[in-house]
Amino acid sequence: MRPKIVLLLLFFALTLFAQNPFKETRYIYAIDKTLLLEGYITFGEQNVIIEYTKPQPKVLTYFEGGLSIQDENGYTATQLNANSAMNYFFMIIKAIEENNDALLESFFTSKTDAQTTILEPKDTASQMVQEVKITKNGNKLKSLHVELKNGDRITIETVD
Amino acid sequence: MKQWTKALNIGFFIVVLGLFFSFRQMWSVSTDLMALLPQNKSKTLFETYSSFKNAKEVFVATQGFDKDSLSHIKKIEERLTKENLLKLESDIKLNAPLKKYIQENIFYLRELNEKPSQNVAGIVQKLFEQITTNPYYTAIDTQDPLGYFKPLNPNKELNIKNAHLALGDFGYLSVFSLSDTSNTKESFQKVYDIVKQEVGESPNIKAFSPIFYFVENAQKTQKDVTLIIFFSTALLLFLYLLVIKNIALLFNTILTLATSGLIAFMATCSVFGSVSIFTLAFGNAVGTLAIDYMFHHYFHDHYSKSKPFSRTVFFGFLTTFGAFFIISFVDFPLIKQLSFFAMISLFLSYMQFAILFPMIGFKQAKTISTFRFSVPLPYKTIATISFLTILGAIYFLHVETDLRRLDYQNKPLMELEGFFKKATLKQDYTPILIEANSVDELILRSKTIQKEFQKTLTPLAFFVDKQTFAKRQETLQALDFEMLEKEVEKEASRIGFRENFFKNAYSQELLYPQHTELDASKIQEMGFDVVTKNNLFYTHAMVKTEDVKEVEKRGFAYGINSKEMFLESLKHVTYQLLFGGALVLVLMTTILLITCRKTLALSSSYVLFPTALILLVGINDFTIIHIFMLFIVIAFGIDYGIYMGAKEHSRVQTKNAILFSLMSTFAGFGVLIFSQIGALFAMGLVSCLGVGAIFVLLLGGDKE
């Protein structure tokens, strides 16, 4: 259950940079190392495609009930059950796209101070997430920072 | 003396009316069909099931999965829970006690992977690769890095979309339970009102709850019965004015019927606690049976001339009263109540029409001359064919036992129920009740059913009973987790994991916790349904309908089905009904033989022909109400048979009396055919068929 929520938050982060190139810094407490990733995200009507260009080219496609990964080893697809992270993923994406506050409020309470919005997790999310920070430059997203309770940290920044 | 007797009827009515108003807090009318069923195991189980919050949940769904729909359902949730009448049950978040229970028993709740890999080094290496090379963020389960346990998903039976419960492809779904568990009509009404107020009439929102049947059906039944009573009374008044043409007699007849009805109502209330709305409608109609006595006395000059006591009417009354008396012994509250009401009402009416009215005296008005012609009818043939038809029809008769067929056919609500069941894929499921001597046994039995039957929804099977706990503990003890944990730590350090990162893997605390003793209140706190009754514990589950019989063979699970319950209730009284029916037949035959030996074919055809017709028309759909009304048709059929067989009276006047009785019977009983309530419609249909058949017989000539 836990990895799914973190996965969800990552996607949540990525969706903030819809149709934009992004840079991701992933600190992994378990190995005390930081990974750097780069890529693009595209939103379809029914799916979301995340194309990583670095460190290795990989394409992730999410659609309702399923996930596919395409890399140099070929194509793999998994059917996810209805209440899996996949649904949460779509939920978050829609929330961002549609300014769906009702949906976001299912997981977070938010505090906005000037250009920064802090999302405080509640209920199930609070078991995993310490804090989410969104920084904007005007109406444009600048960065997103997720701190997890297991010590991992993920920072995503838009690339101009 | 004359003045005194004239005032007696009025005085009697005033006293009864006074009593009625003085003790009005004692009288109540019930619309609950369940209350009319005998108390047996089946009914007790049904009542137990009804006490679960699960049986009275309120479902609200908003169409679509867009942001407006989600925002709408959340607002509805907020408003409906604001007054604490309803509690949101569809929240997919786990409550605190359940969360704690899961945390403490996680290795006992998660299924064991049958063949976990023994290659610790390989698994740890794979974990390292996953977190470093997976394109999406991956977290490690530090409690079970080797994957001995399958992931736990307490919401796996739910359809969730956008973090909210979903109703198939329709939209979002919210499920509420009633905070007030008193199960009173008032509490149901409050909930109904608030839901209707919040949900409104929007086509994009659907709301349903089984409790809506209680509220809407009671309202519709009351409205329907009031309208029918009003219509029936108006029709009767018009008819009496047309036929009797004697205001004093009409006035006294109305007083007599009202007095008898009121006394019967008060006596039934005192004995049974309340009077069913069905008995009330029936009671109004019984008055029309009683008016038959007045018509015969009146048309044969008993009120205008000094005539001896009418033996014919007495035998007619005795047969009807006797029939009700015999079937009142059938151990079925509905039958008892109807018979009791009818006996009192008929007895009082007869006493007044046969004794008091001749004392008061009424002038005979010129009656409308009717039967100037007659068609020769072969009564012997009619009686014989009818008798054979009855024998054949009884063989092929299908008795409909679905209790809901007798209630108001609330089609819009039934459609809504069907919609929710279909959308939640529960239309092929039947609720069952699981019984045990303890909560622990209840959990074990839930698990047994879940294991033995595919696709069951057994909420309590989620928990761990003592036996399962001990088995799992034994299995875990056989696996050397202490050694595995050390190996994981060693390999992790070698590969490059942080020191002590897996220190919590397979902790003693999770491997060997104390078994959590669960009682009913703890289970309820965690949001699950358990009730205690007579030192036994009950919970519910849903099984495929075709599996119910098999599940019941376990001896601790019972299907909850109102149709079956009614059938079982009927089965208990089958012999009593058959015995009662046979006794009634013996009584009628005896009276027919005593009073109409010479006109047996003619007189018996008044019973046999309507009976045959009713059985033929209702052969595929015969309810208990059909059966009961058939008894009544037989009762007035035999009255008319006796009257027709009486040689001391003018046949034309007898026919006149019967015709007007039939007309008033139609006005009393027959109008019920316009009712939307199954039970009342059945009463109306049967009486219309009876009236029609007897009318045909009346057209016959004097010769048999």
Side-chain angles (χ1 to χ4, degrees), chain B residues 574-585:
Chain B
T574 304
Y575 289 109
Q576 293 177 24
L577 266 176
L578 286 176
F579 185 65
L583 272 182
V584 170
L585 281 178

Side-chain angles (χ1 to χ4, degrees), chain A residues 3 6-7 10 26-32 35 52 58 60 64 69 81-83 88 91 98 100 102-103 106-107 123 127 148 150 152, chain B residues 66-67 70-71 74 92-93 99 103 128 131-137 139-140 152-153 155-156 158-163 496-498 501:
Chain A
V6 180
L7 175 66
L10 177 71
R26 205 184 283 175
Y27 171 73
I28 302 167
Y29 174 82
I31 53 173
D32 193 21
L35 306 177
Y52 284 104
K58 280 188 186 184
L60 270 68
E64 198 172 348
I69 301 169
N81 68 36
N83 59 337
Y88 289 97
M91 167 193 79
E98 298 170 359
N100 193 338
L103 195 47
S106 302
F107 291 94
D123 306 315
Q127 290 182 329
L148 298 153
N150 65 359
D152 292 351
Chain B
D66 52 29
K67 97 176 186 188
L70 185 66
S71 164
K74 284 192 178 273
I92 56 170
K93 296 187 281 281
K99 219 183 282 177
Q103 276 167 1
F128 186 86
I131 58 170
T132 52
T133 61
N134 262 2
Y136 49 85
Y137 174 80
I140 294 170
L152 181 72
N153 186 1
N155 290 331
K156 67 181 173 189
L158 304 176
N159 178 13
I160 296 167
K161 277 187 181 167
N162 296 339
F497 276 97
R498 185 188 281 270
F501 183 71

Side-chain angles (χ1 to χ4, degrees), chain A residues 116-151:
Chain A
T116 307
T117 300
I118 307 274
L119 297 176
E120 283 181 7
K122 56 185 186 186
D123 306 315
T124 319
S126 66
Q127 290 182 329
M128 280 301 296
V129 182
Q130 191 72 37
E131 190 183 78
V132 178
K133 192 189 283 179
I134 302 165
T135 312
K136 284 183 179 177
N137 190 358
N139 283 331
K140 203 180 166 198
L141 272 157
K142 200 174 164 191
S143 71
L144 182 138
H145 180 77
V146 182
E147 270 191 43
L148 298 153
K149 284 211 166 153
N150 65 359

Side-chain angles (χ1 to χ4, degrees), chain B residues 445 448-449 452-453 549-557:
Chain B
R445 288 180 168 180
T448 307
I449 290 173
E452 290 180 14
F453 297 91
K549 292 278 168 215
E550 197 56 37
V551 171
E552 283 181 328
K553 282 184 188 165
R554 302 294 175 278
F556 55 76

